[in-house]
Amino acid sequence: MNEARAGPDWVAVRRVALGVYFGVLVWSTFAIGVPIAHDRIFLFTFAGLACACIGRTWRSAWHLLIDWVPFALVIIGYDYSRGWADSVGFGPYYSPQLDVDRMLFFGNVPTVWLQDHLYQFALTRSGHYTISGEPKLWEVMLAVVYVTHYLFSFILAGILWAKERRRFQAFARRFVTLSYMGFVTYVVFPAAPPWLAAQHGDLPGFVGRYGRGFDRVGLHSIRDLIDKGAATSNLTAAVPSLHFGFATLIAITLWDTWPRWSRPFLVVYPLLMGLSLVTTGEHYVSDLLLGGAYAFIAHIAWNHIEGWWQERGTPAAADRELSQQF
């Protein structure tokens, strides 16, 4: 963004506005909780970018509106449609994804093996399993990695928009495409995650949906928000794992801009996300593989579309035409 037209007074106003914005963000995080719902995330992202536009050219404010408002509406619309996907009459399916994991791991199920070896279970009088002992440090790490799913994609989108609008639009196209590829799959193939398969009797009774790491660091509100969302959303939206898909898309997006020596760190992020999802009973490994494949498919498909678009005319005209798609 160019500051050439911003006089000293506007620069000061922008700095004050950004200071107030970050103050409100910090207060809201501690008073209400980390903003993980898409409506709150978009509200804070839009407000922060609007503050950053103060004193810049009028086109900055216009670009903010035409880029972010449709993006937000499409993603929030996806949130509502995702909960509807389990009411169309298919499934849910318990066996296919479980059979794939057993085939990949020679008869073993990674979620069962990890929970059996990492947790210490005790049987309650009511016949249910509970985990004994205090949450461990690795549980906190997995919980933090899990929460990044709700934040990192939108933080990256905001940074890309502020630095290079065209890269934001490319990322947004792939993000939306990946979201709706997942939605279509949830409609035609509603699949049970490991914790639900255990309740169905397909896995040992101790397998559950565990996220105790939030409690150790005092982030009870995040766990409550996730549980509340799970109670009203599609519980059989497990294939593919979009948690892993979005983590993979972030790595793909940043790959070309990171130095070669640092690129292994980009690979670590989706791997940690996958470990968190499998260990806590949210997904099978096969769910992760399909989610990662969807991310690559969305990226490669848009590469071809954007390349074709540029071949239709001059690069500048093609870029303008692509920019109008969001």
Side-chain angles (χ1 to χ4, degrees), residues 190-221:
W195 65 269
L196 193 57
Q199 295 181 9
H200 190 253
D202 296 325
L203 291 176
F206 63 81
V207 173
R209 191 182 203 182
Y210 302 120
R212 303 193 312 157
F214 297 103
D215 298 331
R216 176 164 175 175
V217 291
L219 297 177
H220 309 282
S221 58

Side-chain angles (χ1 to χ4, degrees), residues 38-39 42-43 46 65-81 154 176 180 326:
H38 281 157
D39 52 355
F42 277 116
L43 175 63
F46 189 87
L65 287 173
I66 65 175
D67 286 342
W68 281 89
V69 171
F71 183 40
L73 292 176
V74 169
I75 295 303
I76 292 173
Y78 160 79
D79 286 344
Y80 284 99
S81 62
F154 300 99
V176 170
Y180 281 89
F326 263 96

Side-chain angles (χ1 to χ4, degrees), residues 13-35:
V13 170
R14 182 168 66 246
R15 289 174 178 172
V16 171
L18 287 171
V20 172
Y21 164 78
F22 283 111
V24 171
L25 177 60
V26 171
W27 171 83
S28 175
T29 300
F30 283 96
I32 302 175
V34 178

Side-chain angles (χ1 to χ4, degrees), residues 29-310:
T29 300
F30 283 96
I32 302 175
V34 178
I36 63 174
H38 281 157
D39 52 355
R40 288 189 66 206
I41 290 174
F42 277 116
L43 175 63
F44 276 110
T45 303
F46 189 87
L49 292 174
C51 291
C53 287
I54 293 176
R56 306 185 192 277
T57 64
W58 65 268
R59 290 187 181 87
S60 297
W62 173 243
H63 290 165
L64 179 63
L65 287 173
I66 65 175
D67 286 342
W68 281 89
V69 171
F71 183 40
L73 292 176
V74 169
I75 295 303
I76 292 173
Y78 160 79
D79 286 344
Y80 284 99
S81 62
R82 183 173 179 267
W84 166 85
D86 64 347
S87 63
V88 296
F90 299 106
Y93 298 97
Y94 290 89
S95 299
Q97 62 275 27
L98 176 56
D99 292 340
V100 172
D101 264 33
R102 285 175 172 154
M103 180 185 68
L104 292 173
F105 296 95
F106 308 100
N108 299 303
V109 180
T111 294
V112 175
W113 189 91
L114 286 168
Q115 292 195 359
D116 186 33
H117 286 78
L118 293 176
Y119 296 122
Q120 293 181 341
F121 292 97
L123 195 61
T124 65
R125 292 182 178 179
S126 60
H128 296 93
Y129 286 94
T130 184
I131 303 175
S132 58
E134 293 295 321
K136 299 178 177 60
L137 180 60
W138 63 264
E139 294 181 77
V140 176
M141 294 175 61
L142 293 185
V144 171
V145 171
Y146 184 88
V147 171
T148 63
H149 163 73
Y150 300 96
L151 302 174
F152 276 12
S153 293
F154 300 99
I155 292 173
L156 175 60
I159 293 173
L160 291 176
W161 188 87
K163 295 184 65 176
E164 189 177 351
R165 180 175 175 237
R166 186 172 60 178
R167 289 191 64 210
F168 159 78
Q169 292 170 335
F171 176 73
R173 287 190 285 268
R174 289 156 176 78
F175 186 96
V176 170
T177 301
L178 176 57
S179 298
Y180 281 89
M181 287 173 65
F183 166 73
V184 171
T185 310
Y186 300 150
V187 172
V188 300
F189 187 79
W195 65 269
L196 193 57
Q199 295 181 9
H200 190 253
D202 296 325
L203 291 176
F206 63 81
V207 173
R209 191 182 203 182
Y210 302 120
R212 303 193 312 157
F214 297 103
D215 298 331
R216 176 164 175 175
V217 291
L219 297 177
H220 309 282
S221 58
I222 295 179
R223 179 75 263 173
D224 292 342
L225 284 172
I226 294 173
D227 290 341
K228 182 179 179 181
T232 58
S233 66
N234 184 1
L235 299 181
T236 57
V239 177
S241 168
L242 288 188
H243 284 71
F244 189 79
F246 289 134
T248 303
L249 183 61
I250 289 173
I252 294 171
T253 301
L254 296 175
W255 188 264
D256 290 337
T257 60
W258 279 39
R260 183 170 298 180
W261 64 267
S262 64
R263 289 174 181 172
F265 293 103
L266 290 176
V267 178
V268 169
Y269 175 56
L271 291 179
L272 286 176
M273 179 64 73
L275 179 63
S276 173
L277 297 168
V278 175
T279 302
T280 55
E282 297 282 353
H283 284 284
Y284 296 104
V285 172
S286 57
D287 306 342
L288 311 184
L289 296 177
L290 189 59
Y294 273 27
F296 277 99
I297 291 171
H299 177 67
I300 293 171
W302 273 110
N303 278 350
H304 285 290
I305 294 172
E306 290 160 354
W308 171 79
W309 221 301
Q310 290 181 352

